[in-house]
Amino acid sequence: MSLLDWFANREKSEPIIQKRQEREIADGLWTKCVACDVLTYTKDLRANQLVCTECGHHMRVDSDERIAQLIDDGTWKSLNEHLKPTDPLKFFDRKAYSDRLKDTQEKTGLIDAVQTGTGLVDGLPLALGVMDFRFMGGSMGSVVGEKLCRLVEYATQERLPVVIVCASGGARMQEGMLSLMQMAKIAGALALYRDKQLLYIPVLTHPTTGGVTASFAMLGDIILAEPKATIGFAGRRVIEQTLREKLPEGFQTSEYLLKHGFVDAIVSRTQLKKILAQLISLHQPFFPVIPLLKGEASHPESELSLKVDR
Ligand SMILES: [Zn+2]
C-alpha cells in the first residue's frame, strides 16, 4: 500500500466525531488547557473568565477581556488613548522597531501595551490600568510609562483608588534608556499618590517580570497575585548562571512570593472583582466621594479579610 493510500484509508476510517472536534478546535470552539490537556467548550471557558474548569489553570487574558471582567458594564471610560509610541532611537534588531510597532498595532488593535481608564467595580469608582501581553510581551515603553503615570496623577487629583493589572516581560529594549526611565517616573507619581493616603493595588498576573516588578508592581499598599503566576526580576537561568547556585523549586511563583512576604494574597481570577470591591469599600473613609449604594452591605460573603495599617 502506498503512503497516499494509507492516508486515504486512515481518513475514511476516522470517526466523524473526531474530525468534527478537530475542526471545532481549529475554529476556536474548543480550547485545550496547556496544564491538564482537557478540552473545554470555549464559551464555557470564557464564562469562567478563562480559568480551566478542570484544573484551575489561569489562561492568559487580553486587556479588553480583563476590563470586561472587572468593570461594571457600560461604565468604562478610557484615558489618554491618543498617546502613540515613536521610535526615537531608530532602533533596529531583526526588524525596524517602527515596523514592529505597526505590525503589532494591526495584529492586536491596540496602540501600545497598556489600557488605562476609569470605571465602576460593583458600583465603586476606580482608576484601572491593564497591561496587555500580546503587545510586544507587555513591555514597558515610554507610552506605557506615560499612560500609567497620567492614570496615577488623575487618581491623585480625583482621590480614586488605583488598580494596575500587570503582565509584562519588563522594559522595552527597543526604547533603551527611555524605557528604563519609566520605572522612576511611575514610582515618583505613586509616591505623590501615597502622600495623599490613597489605595494602590497591583495585581500580578503571569508573567510579571523585569522593570515592571522592579517598580510599580511591587509598590502597592496591598499586592495581589493570580495563582501560579511567574513573578520575578531576572530570569531563573540568568540568576543561576550569575550566582552559580541552584535555585529552589517553585522560585519566582506567586505561591513562593506569598510565603516569603512579597505578595499579600493570591486571588483566583473568578474572585478578583469581588475582592477588589471589598478592599476598596474597606478603605472607603479614604475615598470620601465614593457613592456607596444606599443600604447595601458590600460583599459580606467574601472570604478575604485583610487589615491594613494606615
Ligand atoms: Zn486545565
Side-chain angles (χ1 to χ4, degrees):
M1 189 193 289
S2 78
L3 197 59
L4 285 175
D5 291 340
W6 183 82
F7 272 117
N9 276 350
R10 188 169 170 267
E11 205 147 85
K12 259 185 245 158
S13 60
E14 242 178 13
I16 292 167
I17 190 143
Q18 191 185 338
K19 274 182 156 178
R20 202 184 68 206
Q21 261 194 8
E22 280 173 7
R23 203 170 50 240
E24 286 180 340
I25 294 169
D27 291 345
L29 282 175
W30 294 85
T31 304
K32 192 175 184 178
C33 172
V34 290
C36 70
D37 281 351
V38 167
L39 281 175
T40 314
Y41 194 37
T42 303
K43 219 171 155 188
D44 293 343
L45 198 60
R46 289 205 181 280
N48 203 39
Q49 308 196 352
L50 292 176
V51 176
C52 175
T53 48
E54 194 67 26
C55 73
H57 174 69
H58 284 50
M59 298 178 194
R60 195 163 280 154
V61 172
D62 66 42
S63 51
D64 290 327
E65 186 125 11
R66 180 74 72 169
I67 291 165
Q69 286 172 4
L70 293 179
I71 297 292
D72 298 349
D73 284 350
T75 65
W76 176 250
K77 286 193 187 85
S78 296
L79 285 171
N80 300 302
E81 264 189 315
H82 61 285
L83 294 179
K84 290 189 180 78
T86 57
D87 182 13
L89 305 180
K90 307 278 172 251
F91 194 91
F92 191 95
D93 45 90
R94 275 172 301 163
K95 198 172 172 183
Y97 176 44
S98 51
D99 291 340
R100 204 180 281 279
L101 279 172
K102 224 168 91 191
D103 291 351
T104 315
Q105 284 167 342
E106 273 169 22
K107 217 172 359 170
T108 59
L110 298 168
I111 293 171
D112 211 305
V114 74
Q115 293 201 57
T116 57
T118 58
L120 300 179
V121 177
D122 283 354
L124 305 170
L126 170 74
L128 176 69
V130 182
M131 304 188 82
D132 200 311
F133 198 80
R134 292 175 304 161
F135 199 101
M136 297 182 71
S139 54
M140 177 177 52
S142 306
V143 168
V144 171
E146 184 64 23
K147 280 180 87 170
L148 288 176
C149 200
R150 290 190 192 187
L151 177 77
V152 173
E153 285 171 353
Y154 180 78
T156 310
Q157 186 194 314
E158 300 296 321
R159 294 192 65 81
L160 291 172
V162 174
V163 170
I164 299 177
V165 181
C166 305
S168 176
R172 187 171 297 170
M173 63 166 192
Q174 291 88 345
E175 291 189 22
M177 182 53 80
L178 297 165
S179 168
L180 294 180
M181 280 164 57
Q182 308 309 316
M183 295 162 63
K185 192 166 81 178
I186 304 170
L190 282 170
L192 294 173
Y193 179 79
R194 193 172 50 232
D195 286 349
K196 302 277 181 196
Q197 297 198 310
L198 299 166
L199 175 69
Y200 166 44
I201 306 174
V203 179
L204 315 184
T205 72
H206 179 75
T208 298
T209 58
V212 170
T213 308
S215 60
F216 58 89
M218 287 291 164
L219 290 174
D221 298 299
I222 301 168
I223 301 177
L224 304 181
E226 284 195 339
K228 294 185 182 161
T230 297
I231 302 160
F233 180 60
R236 187 186 182 101
R237 222 171 342 139
V238 174
I239 301 173
E240 284 187 336
Q241 281 168 4
T242 312
L243 299 179
R244 294 176 196 285
E245 256 180 55
K246 197 102 190 93
L247 293 169
E249 204 47 50
F251 179 71
Q252 293 186 323
T253 59
S254 311
E255 291 71 17
Y256 188 90
L257 266 68
L258 177 71
K259 206 169 145 198
H260 292 83
F262 284 91
V263 160
D264 295 303
I266 295 175
V267 178
S268 166
R269 190 178 296 152
T270 52
Q271 300 293 307
L272 185 59
K273 182 173 182 175
K274 191 173 76 173
I275 297 291
L276 285 175
Q278 189 195 21
L279 288 172
I280 294 166
S281 64
L282 279 171
H283 291 79
Q284 201 201 343
F286 298 99
F287 305 109
V289 292
I290 287 177
L292 259 187
L293 294 177
K294 236 183 175 176
E296 191 176 295
S298 48
H299 309 290
E301 77 279 14
S302 179
E303 315 90 39
L304 188 83
S305 65
L306 280 172
K307 279 188 186 147
V308 182
D309 293 329
R310 280 278 173 187

